[in-house]
Amino acid sequence: MPDVMTFQDAIQSAGTGKKHLLLGNGFSIACKSDIFSYGALYDNADFSQAEEIPKIFDNLGTRDFENVIRSLDHTSRILKAYGVSDDALLDKIDEHRDFVKDVLVKTIAARHPERPFEISSESYRACRQFLKKFDNIYTMNYDILLYWALMQNDVDDLQLTPDDGFRAPSGNEDADYVAWESHHSGTVHYLHGALHLFDAGYELRKYTWSRTDLAIIDQVRHALDNEMYPLFVSEGESKIKMARIQHNAYLHRCFRSIGSIGGSVFVFGHSLAENDNHILHQMMSSRVRNIYISVFGGADRAAELEARTEEMNAWVPNGRRKSFYFFDAGSAQVWG
């Protein structure tokens, strides 16, 4: 069985070099398990327009939306390979795949905490102490909990200075949003998009409270009511996610950034699942030497993750292989 150290020991082990953070859904679940777990999202999703969808979840034995999206995509391709020419059926499967994506976005927005103050100051302080330790933050989450935590400057004296690359749009400085400027090198990266990021075609916009006095989540819900969808990479398969990323300048910039880092990476709340292989491959190709993986579930879970890390090390030449370590997720006390 691999050793599982405390988070504090892991930070000390990483030394004084650069440290970066890669967040998965476990970061959000640790804050609000009743909202952001797969089961909670499923229980609150509205599938009334496609009665087959709940049966698919049940038959696959999952509550993971990306698993179902991937399965529907595979089903469509398999049927075509067998020469199935029922266009109505094939179109329905593709429509249901896209429908599940939309339901995921709407469910997260509907269930999201209304206001930042619904999370306690104590929780924010703990989270900001955790985030303060890292030079770059990469997240695969769609919610705005990370954004809220980084903005809570009044709960402590940490003086966090996150930069996601968004500024007042040039020539429209009084706009009620901020826009991404590609020449800024950010330290916070939304690898798969997020609820508060919207692609306007000629610019990527970020909703803010300070420019509208409207809660960000209200702005998101209003946009969804008007059939405007946030930048959201929820495809079920890694290579399809990668195709989406390559066709968006912001996402591609965030993705490439992972390949340029060195030092150590701390992965928190992510299972190293194959549907995010594009991110993991990029991390493995970087100059990073040490990777610390959070473990929720003890030594048995650590053994499963260790087997996965051996697969990942096989992706790169001997000289680029990483040293993997494991730390107890609970010991990080991310939200207190």
Side-chain angles (χ1 to χ4, degrees), residues 300-316:
D300 288 342
R301 180 57 181 149
E304 295 173 6
L305 290 171
E306 184 177 50
R308 174 66 167 148
T309 63
E310 291 172 358
E311 294 177 16
M312 291 165 57
N313 255 335
W315 298 343
V316 294

Side-chain angles (χ1 to χ4, degrees), residues 26-65:
F27 173 79
S28 301
I29 292 173
C31 179
K32 294 284 184 181
S33 61
D34 59 331
I35 294 176
F36 294 110
S37 68
Y38 291 129
L41 289 172
Y42 175 85
D43 289 341
N44 288 275
D46 180 6
F47 297 118
S48 59
Q49 296 181 42
E51 61 184 16
E52 298 91 345
I53 299 300
K55 298 175 184 177
I56 296 173
F57 276 90
D58 289 341
N59 288 343
L60 292 174
T62 188
R63 291 294 181 262
D64 184 337
F65 283 72

Side-chain angles (χ1 to χ4, degrees), residues 16-307:
T16 59
K18 294 280 188 179
K19 301 178 185 66
H20 314 281
L21 178 63
L22 176 62
L23 294 173
N25 195 43
F27 173 79
S28 301
I29 292 173
C31 179
K32 294 284 184 181
S33 61
D34 59 331
I35 294 176
F36 294 110
S37 68
Y38 291 129
L41 289 172
Y42 175 85
D43 289 341
N44 288 275
D46 180 6
F47 297 118
S48 59
Q49 296 181 42
E51 61 184 16
E52 298 91 345
I53 299 300
K55 298 175 184 177
I56 296 173
F57 276 90
D58 289 341
N59 288 343
L60 292 174
T62 188
R63 291 294 181 262
D64 184 337
F65 283 72
E66 290 189 0
N67 191 348
V68 170
I69 293 167
R70 180 170 62 252
S71 296
L72 285 167
D73 190 60
H74 286 177
T75 298
S76 177
R77 285 187 273 171
I78 289 169
L79 290 175
K80 290 173 184 176
Y82 275 97
V84 173
S85 57
D86 186 337
D87 290 340
L89 173 61
L90 294 172
D91 288 345
K92 187 174 186 179
I93 292 171
D94 291 342
E95 288 170 7
H96 281 185
R97 177 198 61 211
D98 294 337
F99 173 74
V100 175
K101 295 179 191 176
D102 292 345
V103 168
L104 176 59
V105 179
K106 291 177 179 177
T107 304
I108 292 175
R111 291 278 292 162
H112 203 285
E114 295 281 342
R115 304 289 185 271
F117 59 73
E118 292 185 22
I119 299 170
S120 70
S121 295
E122 291 77 11
S123 290
Y124 280 131
R125 279 195 289 270
C127 187
R128 288 165 60 84
Q129 286 284 353
F130 173 73
L131 298 174
K132 175 72 173 177
K133 296 174 172 61
F134 302 102
D135 296 280
N136 282 282
I137 301 172
Y138 299 90
T139 179
M140 291 181 268
N141 297 339
Y142 310 121
D143 59 72
I144 56 178
L145 297 185
L146 172 64
Y147 178 69
W148 279 354
L150 290 170
M151 293 297 103
Q152 297 302 307
N153 294 319
D154 56 341
V155 303
D156 55 36
D157 299 320
L158 289 181
Q159 311 249 331
L160 298 184
T161 56
D163 184 358
D164 56 13
F166 286 82
R167 303 288 189 275
S170 178
N172 189 17
E173 285 75 13
D174 295 327
D176 59 0
Y177 62 89
V178 290
W180 178 62
E181 296 186 352
S182 61
H183 57 277
H184 285 287
S185 298
T187 58
V188 179
H189 314 267
Y190 297 94
L191 295 170
H192 289 156
L195 284 177
H196 61 318
L197 306 182
F198 282 76
D199 193 342
Y202 63 94
E203 64 183 359
L204 182 68
R205 299 176 177 179
K206 183 180 79 171
Y207 286 159
T208 69
W209 172 83
S210 61
R211 287 178 167 255
T212 63
D213 288 332
L214 294 175
I216 294 174
I217 198 64
D218 289 340
Q219 296 178 57
V220 172
R221 290 169 183 163
H222 177 74
L224 289 171
D225 288 341
N226 287 279
E227 300 298 318
M228 294 170 55
Y229 284 82
L231 179 62
F232 221 77
V233 180
S234 57
E235 278 70 14
E237 193 171 336
S238 176
K239 66 179 182 180
I240 304 177
K241 287 183 179 180
M242 190 62 225
R244 283 285 312 279
I245 289 169
Q246 287 175 326
H247 285 83
N248 181 277
Y250 168 78
L251 296 178
H252 196 223
R253 175 72 172 270
C254 292
F255 174 79
R256 285 190 292 110
S257 172
I258 300 176
S260 67
I261 58 176
S264 300
V265 171
F266 283 69
V267 180
F268 185 89
H270 194 271
S271 64
L272 309 182
E274 291 184 0
N275 55 348
D276 288 320
N277 269 357
H278 55 296
I279 301 297
L280 302 178
H281 270 283
Q282 187 74 340
M283 180 177 68
M284 294 298 293
S285 70
S286 72
R287 293 176 290 106
V288 163
R289 298 179 62 86
N290 303 309
I291 300 177
Y292 296 82
I293 312 292
S294 72
V295 176
F296 183 83
D300 288 342
R301 180 57 181 149
E304 295 173 6
L305 290 171
E306 184 177 50

